[in-house]
Amino acid sequence: LGRLPHWLRGLDARLVLHCHDELLLDSVESDGPAAATALAGCMTEAWERLFPEAVMPGICEARVGTTWASAKG
């Protein structure tokens, strides 16, 4: 999470909540997909830095929605 601001640079998005293994970002609608991509990239990078020998394709997923419930699917 410490590198998340770097990943979100240039986007109108911010972390508003983290709860156990879920993170909630708030962004303008037009930045939603890019913010989701940035979050997934940040979390994947963190995994790879901590566990360089543990290959885990799809270690995290990020979704876009107008509410937390709609983003959870």
Side-chain angles (χ1 to χ4, degrees):
L1 289 178
R3 293 200 24 87
L4 187 58
H6 165 79
W7 281 84
L8 295 177
R9 187 176 304 140
L11 301 175
D12 188 357
R14 65 188 176 95
L15 179 68
V16 294
L17 180 71
H18 58 91
C19 179
H20 186 54
D21 64 346
E22 295 190 22
L23 304 172
L24 179 64
L25 299 181
D26 181 44
S27 75
V28 296
E29 188 172 353
S30 60
D31 281 345
T37 299
L39 178 61
C42 179
M43 299 307 290
T44 300
E45 176 187 74
W47 174 266
E48 291 170 349
R49 284 179 176 215
L50 289 170
F51 307 103
E53 302 299 318
V55 178
M56 293 286 293
I59 187 69
C60 67
E61 60 184 55
R63 299 184 187 139
V64 177
T66 56
T67 65
W68 192 350
S70 68
K72 286 181 69 97

